[in-house]
Amino acid sequence: MVEFIPQLIANGIVLGSIYVMVALGLTLIFGIVDVVNFAHGEFYMLGAFIALMCVVKLGIPYLPAIVATAVIISVFGLATEKILIRSLRKRNPHPINYVLVTVGLSSFLLYGINFVFGPDLRQIPSPFMKQVLHLGNVYITTHRILVVLVAAILVGALGYFIKYTSLGNQMRATAQNFQAAKIVGVNTDRIFSLTFLIGSMLAGIAGALVGAMFVTEPTMGIHIIVKAFIVVIVGGMGSIKGSIVTGLGLGLVETLAGAVMPAEFLDIIGFSIMIIVLLTKPTGIFGTKGNVSA
Amino acid sequence: MHKSGITAALFVAVLLLPVVFSEPFYQHIMIAAGINIILAVSLGIIVGYLGELSLSHGAFYGIGAYTSALLMTKLSLPFVLAFPLAIIFTGLMGFLIGIPALRLSGHYFAIATLGFQGIVILLIINMVDLTRGPMGLSGIPSPGAFDLFGITISFQDKIPFYYLTVAVMSVVLLLTRNLIGYKYGQAFIATREDPLLAASIGVKPRKYRMLAFVISTAMAGAAGSLYSHYTLFISPDSFHLGESIYIATMVIIGGRGTILGPLVGAILLTTLPEALRFTGDLQFVLYGLMLMLVVVFMPKGVIGIFDHLKQPRTQQNNHAG
């Protein structure tokens, strides 16, 4: 048993990196735009399908296909904010209305993709899946290393962007105090669009990576959004640090505990922890309401 | 008087429906619509009067269905006992879940109920000894037959089951009207609009929120019991998150904040796919689209259109009065 632990930790970090990428987008959108995006998982799912089409139909190599996916899904995210979220903000900005429209979007995308592609399980062909590295006791494909690497680069870039660029400062200002940010001349509409763009892009890239490692199928977004909610609530809505720590933590706990108990019980435990955190400390472990902290 | 006349006429029409449309296919849709009306009207209490979106109504529907089916199959209780016990048990679950959930509001309430929905389905799937897990429960008996003036009425036939559904639906509609129509309704609206102000004039928000939540979930339990003894087979597939979203879509598309809205929404979403001859999941693409459009552009839902048409007349009445 003990000799498997390094292998389990490696797998846990890979799984955790995926959770971090997805949860980061969700937490940014919540912290800055004040919208809980129930369609976030569908952007992840769309990312996998776009990458699949790029590789299989257009014959683009895997890595450039991920870049193409990032660009396309960014446009989707931007359009969602500009068309859907903004119309609602101008007309009827009640929290449950945002839940309803994003639930509607989720249903539309999920069943739309299901109608076009069918429920079959597919896999994006990645050249890195075949290369297995042997490090001590740990067997790991190059693809899994790529997942962790991409997640690390994206998290680093996002942290830098938010802390050291003008737009990043405007994003933080908007999160802290929307009205005050507006008064000092921040174009908050533009910041909201940018946030949706970044959040969706992170989810789409994660989908393109997972779609090659596991399977690409229409309901993959539902599975991930539930995990992302757990990560974001426990880590603190709006907290970047919280998403990173809790995302990696959940990945590790799931993989380690998964070796000794069925996965379904883990999900029940995950939900229960989420509900307990909601009740006792709704801002999560690292969160301060309405604050995006790097 | 005028209004109750219309209601009476509608009720007679509802009773005559299965006689006019005698094909089993139509009668099946009528029964499905009746069950959906119970679900939508009961969720409408939470959405319209508490101002919260519950994403676990499908789970309560499932709890009612499984409780009722298990009471009849495992303990061989008759339907007349299993049905009320299923309602009570579902209401009790609603109470237990309501204790934590009702302390939250807005998107936090929606996320917490999403969590409960997930937990319930995972429990149904994993308590294989009791629920047979993903395989589902089969061999559920239909409500026992009885003699009426020497004629045996069997609920395996569609027409008697339709009348049973209509009876339960009528009770649900009356109860909902009484719940939100008078003192309670004002209290609900007061709590929804301004919990602090409501509390300051003596309305106890927590008490009213809990009352509404328990009654709403118990009604979903009634719908679940009817469903299980109508289809005679249930599986977790019928009660997952998608079902909760589907019920919420009926409420929103019909129009929240009224009883008529969810009722119209349930009828629309039950009959529309048949009328348009949708195949499979394509209807959910359309519902997703409708949900987005209605929330943004028609917050009062379909019945909001009639509201709009009626407005000038009410103003005239006001002048006259």
Side-chain angles (χ1 to χ4, degrees), chain B residues 193-235:
Chain B
E193 294 301 324
D194 193 338
L196 269 179
L197 187 67
S200 74
I201 55 166
V203 176
K204 295 195 179 72
R206 274 218 185 142
K207 196 181 107 186
Y208 286 107
R209 279 164 69 90
M210 183 57 96
L211 182 72
F213 193 71
V214 169
I215 289 176
S216 161
T217 52
M219 286 171 175
S225 175
L226 284 178
Y227 175 79
S228 78
H229 301 294
Y230 173 63
T231 59
L232 312 181
F233 168 79
I234 50 173
S235 79

Side-chain angles (χ1 to χ4, degrees), chain A residues 81-143:
Chain A
E81 200 283 326
K82 276 190 185 283
I83 298 168
L84 195 62
I85 304 296
R86 189 168 299 179
S87 328
L88 193 55
R89 190 163 61 241
K90 308 277 184 236
R91 285 161 184 268
N92 211 345
H94 189 278
I96 77 166
N97 285 341
Y98 288 118
V99 176
L100 286 166
V101 289
T102 55
V103 161
L105 179 63
S106 156
S107 185
F108 177 72
L109 293 174
L110 163 59
Y111 290 104
I113 289 290
N114 191 49
F115 180 73
V116 176
F117 291 93
D120 314 348
L121 308 179
R122 301 153 200 265
Q123 197 170 32
I124 309 166
S126 153
F128 308 106
M129 281 302 284
K130 294 184 192 80
Q131 305 163 356
V132 182
L133 297 180
H134 187 188
L135 312 160
N137 274 343
V138 181
Y139 290 85
I140 191 163
T141 57
T142 325
H143 188 88

